[in-house]
């Protein structure tokens, strides 16, 4: 059994009016990957996309800082995270092994901004899909970053905030918290 943990801290907190934080745990045990995420103080009563991001070449991914705000609009948006965190890899949704990123199947925060997400993923299925997408079946979790995304539709975002994915706009994809995954 191998266990990994990420301590998730806020991004864009001064702009979104809350301070999202929590933990993500990944436990590889035989043919299963157990994933558990618990978040506090997220934007309330909305769905929060969550994923792990990384570099397909195995380069170490890191949590962004305001240095990634390249257009100086005061927000670290999804495109600006790629330099240090790589690409979106695996969704932490209702079926991570399918690696279906843009859809409605992610956790929804309650009226206090809290949610818990917990799932057992068939490791071989996830590894096969990961290999098809990234050329390797090695998830290299300790080289990845967990992201939590999503702000209310009525939050005023400047036009400079990017991150549209299919029919989902920057309100859905704006990073609100991130944490480096480390071996426990």
């Amino acid at each position: 059994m191998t266990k990994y943990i990420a301590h998730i801290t806020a991004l864009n907190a001064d702009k979104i009016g809350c301070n999202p934080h929590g933990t993500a745990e990944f436990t590889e045990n035989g043919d299963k990957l157990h994933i558990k995420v618990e978040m506090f103080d997220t934007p309330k009563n909305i769905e929060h996309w969550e994923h792990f991001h990384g570099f397909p070449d195995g380069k170490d991914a890191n949590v962004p800082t305001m240095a990634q705000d390249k257009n100086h609009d005061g927000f670290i948006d999804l495109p600006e995270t790629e330099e240090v965190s790589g690409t979106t890899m695996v969704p932490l949704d209702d079926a991570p092994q399918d690696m279906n990123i843009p859809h409605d199947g992610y956790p929804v925060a309650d009226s206090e901004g809290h949610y818990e997400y917990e799932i057992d993923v068939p490791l071989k299925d996830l590894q096969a899909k990961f290999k098809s997408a990234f050329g390797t079946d090695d998830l290299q979790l300790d080289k990845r970053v967990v992201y939590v995304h999503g702000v209310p539709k009525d939050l005023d975002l400047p036009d400079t905030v990017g991150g549209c994915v299919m029919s989902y706009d920057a309100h859905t994809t704006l990073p609100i918290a991130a944490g480096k995954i480390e071996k426990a």
Side-chain angles (χ1 to χ4, degrees):
M1 181 169 62
T2 307
K3 189 171 184 174
Y4 302 86
I5 191 163
H7 298 283
I8 302 170
T9 58
L11 293 174
N12 296 309
D14 58 329
K15 301 289 185 187
I16 66 172
C18 58
N19 187 31
H21 61 280
T23 57
E25 297 174 2
F26 302 83
T27 306
E28 292 178 0
N29 192 359
D31 61 353
K32 298 246 185 266
L33 175 63
H34 183 79
I35 305 171
K36 181 179 180 183
V37 179
E38 185 171 20
M39 291 297 298
F40 301 90
D41 202 21
T42 67
K44 302 169 182 179
N45 300 314
I46 66 168
E47 181 178 58
H48 292 287
W49 284 15
E50 50 183 19
H51 314 90
F52 71 72
H53 294 217
F55 294 97
D57 66 3
K59 177 180 155 187
D60 202 25
N62 291 289
V63 172
T65 66
M66 286 309 292
Q68 276 65 60
D69 179 20
K70 299 300 182 193
N71 62 6
H72 307 289
D73 63 2
F75 288 87
I76 303 168
D77 62 25
L78 182 60
E80 291 171 328
T81 67
E82 291 177 9
E83 176 186 354
V84 295
S85 301
T87 190
T88 303
M89 294 183 133
V90 174
L92 308 180
D93 62 0
D94 53 2
Q97 70 277 6
D98 294 344
M99 290 177 51
N100 179 17
I101 307 294
H103 73 105
D104 294 322
Y106 293 91
V108 175
D110 67 16
S111 61
E112 301 297 317
H114 173 260
Y115 70 84
E116 287 185 52
Y117 162 86
E118 194 162 5
I119 194 167
D120 284 317
V121 181
L123 195 52
K124 287 184 187 210
D125 293 350
L126 176 57
Q127 288 170 323
K129 194 74 163 186
F130 196 84
K131 185 172 185 170
S132 173
F134 300 112
T136 179
D137 63 1
D138 186 354
L139 301 177
Q140 296 181 315
L141 289 170
D142 58 348
K143 293 185 177 214
R144 312 297 182 206
V145 171
V146 172
Y147 275 90
V148 177
H149 308 264
V151 295
K153 293 284 184 200
D154 63 355
L155 182 69
D156 189 27
L157 295 177
D159 293 341
T160 53
V161 175
C164 292
V165 177
M166 295 175 54
S167 64
Y168 298 93
D169 72 7
H171 290 89
T172 301
T173 67
L174 185 71
I176 61 166
K180 172 79 173 146
I181 303 172
E182 299 173 335
K183 206 170 199 175

